[in-house]
Amino acid sequence: MEVYTSDSSDTDSREQKTLDYGRMNLMNINLEDDLHSDTKMPIKSIKDIEILLLNHNRLTRLPTTIRNFLSLRVLDLSSNCLRELPEIIGQLPLITLVAKNNQLTNESLPKSFAIKNQNSTLKELNLSGNMLTHFPEQVIELRNLRYLYVGGNQIGCISKDIWRMQSLQVLSVGGNLLTDVPDTVGLLSQLQALVLCDNLIENLPTSIARLKNLKSLLLHKNRLKHLPRDIVALKNLTEARYRNIFLSLRDNPLVVRFVQDMSLNPPTLMELAARIVKTTGVSVEAGDLPQTTLDYLSCANCCVNPQCKGVFFDNRVEHIKFVDFCGKYRVPLLQYLCSSKCIEHEKPSRPQTSGATRGYMMRKVLLG
């Protein structure tokens, strides 16, 4: 979040430029009256106010006097009962506008958040926790916006024109009804955090790999069954030496399936006993054991790891191993092992020519 700081570092000066009505449980308000009260005597003019805090009240509308705050930089309207943002909002030189947790709809937003024919000064806009049903198109014109929060609404899709917001560093659209993400998101070259959690997304565009500055990618609680192969190009996400980097994938089918596949499924006592009999070479003849047990012992399978002399029956470890094929491709072979300890770490069998060649060979295997 952008933290607004006054040009003056003097605390008293900042207090003079801040008008705080936060957490007063107010329903109606008259801002001008307070300017002439004894407690606000140091304030010379309404034009001095740069920070206005109206958060955590019960306001259903903004007072008309808001238009007189010509120097206003920060406006916090969060956690009220606002059903409309007046058009005058777009005429204020705001840097930060926080209007989260209200009752705003797409129709109740101002047609523009910027002064006509002028570049917007707005750097942070928070509309989370409202009643928006589609992406607010008027934010596209905010070319200097760095932080956009529209999570916790009912938005069904992200605008394809999102690429125009080239200053955007944080895009938070979690907790909506998104089913996909447009390719144009990959054109946001300055993006550092992308929040897509708690939606209905089944696929991600490969263009995500273009976000070279991305440090946080929240994808949990979606319907993702796989990730784009090119996501490995996001070094900020994949290299451990970076700090404060976050990739969240929990509660997606791809993770649930992986965890289920990796769940512990220990051998039965009968299989463990049969393994010992076979590996130690204990002699068993007809009549020593029931016929069903003898039949069971006869169906032992040898572990394919040449360094292992073990066997398995019903319980086995399935492992995919890539092997050279005709000197051109890497072919996946399914191996059955008696234990996960028998998985051999692959070593390059021959020098590779280039990363591009390896990628091509892998595509031939996985996609061909």
Side-chain angles (χ1 to χ4, degrees), residues 1-168:
M1 177 181 288
E2 185 87 352
V3 179
Y4 176 74
T5 56
S6 173
D7 292 337
S8 172
S9 59
D10 182 75
T11 302
D12 293 336
S13 177
R14 289 197 61 189
E15 289 181 355
Q16 292 178 11
K17 297 179 180 181
T18 301
L19 189 58
D20 188 355
Y21 280 96
R23 301 179 184 277
M24 296 179 65
N25 201 30
L26 299 174
M27 296 183 63
N28 296 299
I29 196 170
N30 188 319
L31 301 180
E32 289 182 309
D33 287 349
D34 193 68
L35 294 177
H36 302 289
S37 68
D38 293 338
T39 59
K40 300 294 182 179
M41 283 300 292
I43 298 179
K44 297 180 180 180
S45 169
I46 196 172
K47 295 180 180 180
D48 292 333
I49 301 297
E50 296 182 356
I51 303 175
L52 178 58
L53 307 178
L54 300 174
N55 55 297
H56 292 84
N57 284 294
R58 291 188 289 168
L59 303 178
T60 57
R61 59 181 179 81
L62 287 181
T64 57
T65 48
I66 196 74
R67 70 178 71 244
N68 298 323
F69 288 78
L70 302 180
S71 300
L72 199 61
R73 298 292 184 266
V74 178
L75 178 58
D76 188 350
L77 306 171
S78 59
S79 300
N80 276 284
C81 303
L82 295 175
R83 299 175 182 174
E84 180 183 11
L85 288 183
E87 296 293 333
I88 191 61
I89 289 291
Q91 305 302 310
L92 300 174
L94 292 174
I95 293 177
T96 299
L97 173 59
V98 182
K100 64 181 181 179
N101 301 330
N102 280 284
Q103 300 174 21
L104 301 172
T105 64
N106 289 91
E107 292 72 23
S108 63
L109 297 179
K111 295 179 180 179
S112 175
F113 286 97
I115 300 175
K116 189 175 182 181
N117 298 325
Q118 295 186 28
N119 290 328
S120 172
T121 57
L122 201 60
K123 293 183 179 180
E124 177 182 352
L125 176 60
N126 194 328
L127 297 175
S128 298
N130 279 285
M131 302 168 64
L132 306 181
T133 55
H134 54 273
F135 194 87
E137 293 291 338
Q138 52 268 64
V139 305
I140 299 297
E141 67 186 21
L142 303 177
R143 305 300 167 81
N144 294 317
L145 196 69
R146 297 180 184 176
Y147 313 96
L148 176 59
Y149 305 90
V150 288
N153 284 284
Q154 302 172 37
I155 298 173
C157 62
I158 300 174
S159 173
K160 293 182 179 180
D161 292 328
I162 190 76
W163 63 272
R164 297 182 180 178
M165 305 177 71
Q166 286 298 306
S167 297
L168 208 58

Side-chain angles (χ1 to χ4, degrees), residues 179-209:
T179 56
D180 58 14
V181 179
D183 290 338
T184 49
V185 167
L187 299 176
L188 298 173
S189 58
Q190 302 302 315
L191 201 64
Q192 298 183 23
L194 178 57
V195 181
L196 299 170
C197 57
D198 201 9
N199 277 287
L200 308 172
I201 301 171
E202 296 184 3
N203 297 287
L204 288 178
T206 57
S207 61
I208 291 288

